[in-house]
Amino acid sequence: MSTMIVPVSRTRRFLTDSASMTRRGFLHWRRQPGQLVIGLVFPVMMLVMFTYFIGGGMAVEGGGDYSEFLVPGMLALAMAFGLESTMVALTEDINRGVLDRFRAMPIAPSAVLVGRSLLDMINSAAGLLVMLGAGWLIGWRWHGSLAEAAAAIGLLLLLRFAMLWVGIYLGLVAGRPEMVQAVQILIWPVAFLSSAITSPSTMPGWLAALADWNPMSATAGAVRELFANPGWPNDSWAADHTVALSVLWPLVLLAVFFPLALGRYHRLSV
């Protein structure tokens, strides 16, 4: 009997502590709502800019409206937007000694990072709803079933969850808010070197290969397929298996960066 109580009590403690860390984030949002609003509006601004600034000069090979090609790609890109806010929050907690105090308290060690990730996922889900509404207003439509639409949203959130743990690890490694800017510079080229905005077939050969195998391209392509939106034809293996890769890539990223982030947190010294 006692052997069963210990795992249950540890699980309950972990869930309670994670919920407490998530509530802490909600309190920060209430005190600083502007940061939350900016995070929700920025991807919409990017969508509007790409639609109306360059969309008029873009044509989808094989036919189809460019906005219906663009919106799934921008949804995938949005999963990389805002990572810097989580990274900055972590580095601020490090420099203020907050994480030190948490580590000295009798709370589950991983609850601090898991609570932060849950908070970000709630924000990301809200951001997706805003982006879907904005896409609808500019003329985008999905043509698949409700189940396929739900699967597309699930793949987007899975990518966000994986990207988030990459950001958490990089934030812990950076250690200072000013270093986050340097890390962020690396994230943006990776995000845009994909099929989110245009087809890799329009790129030089070596760039096209990188774009084909980019996790962003896999999710963007899978979301287009599930929403029954148009896409550029491509004869690469990665382009033909976007749904499988949109699941595989996030799982690989989680398998690598989740333990790295937890290990870095346990070894953290300030």
Side-chain angles (χ1 to χ4, degrees):
M1 176 69 87
S2 60
T3 59
M4 294 295 294
I5 293 175
V6 173
V8 171
S9 63
R10 287 179 177 175
T11 301
R12 184 181 298 114
R13 172 188 168 193
F14 166 75
L15 294 175
T16 301
D17 293 343
S18 297
S20 298
M21 294 298 104
T22 305
R23 284 196 298 270
R24 173 177 176 259
F26 280 124
L27 293 175
H28 280 271
W29 281 355
R30 190 171 67 179
R31 289 195 294 267
Q32 298 177 335
Q35 183 178 359
L36 177 62
V37 172
I38 290 173
L40 294 175
V41 171
F42 177 73
V44 175
M45 292 175 56
M46 295 289 291
L47 174 62
V48 172
M49 289 172 59
F50 276 103
T51 300
Y52 295 112
F53 289 179
I54 70 171
M58 301 291 287
V60 181
E61 186 179 344
D65 185 64
Y66 179 67
S67 66
E68 292 203 344
F69 172 86
L70 177 66
V71 169
M74 290 303 300
L75 291 174
L77 280 183
M79 297 301 95
F81 296 156
L83 286 177
E84 65 275 6
S85 62
T86 295
M87 296 163 65
V88 168
L90 278 173
T91 56
E92 288 178 345
D93 282 348
I94 292 173
N95 287 273
R96 293 172 182 170
V98 176
L99 291 189
D100 241 6
R101 291 195 292 273
F102 285 151
R103 286 160 50 112
M105 294 170 63
I107 63 176
S110 57
V112 176
L113 301 185
V114 171
R116 169 63 61 181
S117 68
L118 290 176
L119 184 72
D120 185 283
M121 291 303 296
I122 294 170
N123 186 24
S124 299
L128 271 182
L129 290 177
V130 172
M131 283 285 287
L132 289 169
W136 188 271
L137 291 176
I138 66 171
W140 165 81
R141 298 293 184 268
W142 60 273
H143 309 285
S145 66
L146 285 175
E148 289 171 328
I153 293 172
L155 290 177
L156 288 165
L157 292 175
L158 177 62
L159 176 65
R160 176 63 176 190
F161 191 62
M163 293 291 294
L164 174 62
W165 281 97
V166 176
I168 288 175
Y169 172 70
L170 294 177
L172 292 173
V173 171
R176 297 193 306 275
E178 58 270 20
M179 289 298 296
V180 171
Q181 295 181 355
V183 175
Q184 182 184 355
I185 292 174
L186 301 177
I187 294 176
W188 281 79
V190 173
F192 279 97
L193 182 57
S194 66
S195 65
I197 307 300
T198 186
S199 171
S201 62
T202 64
M203 306 175 188
W206 64 276
L207 277 179
L210 292 176
D212 272 336
W213 287 93
N214 190 325
M216 295 287 176
S217 295
T219 299
V223 171
R224 289 186 184 109
E225 181 177 337
L226 291 168
F227 280 145
N229 289 147
W232 264 287
N234 200 320
D235 58 358
S236 72
W237 188 93
D240 289 336
H241 299 82
T242 53
V243 175
L245 287 176
S246 68
V247 175
L248 181 61
W249 265 122
L251 293 180
V252 170
L253 292 174
L254 283 170
V256 173
F257 287 97
F258 182 80
L260 283 176
L262 292 182
R264 181 71 183 186
Y265 176 75
H266 289 312
R267 297 190 304 270
L268 200 59
S269 176
V270 295

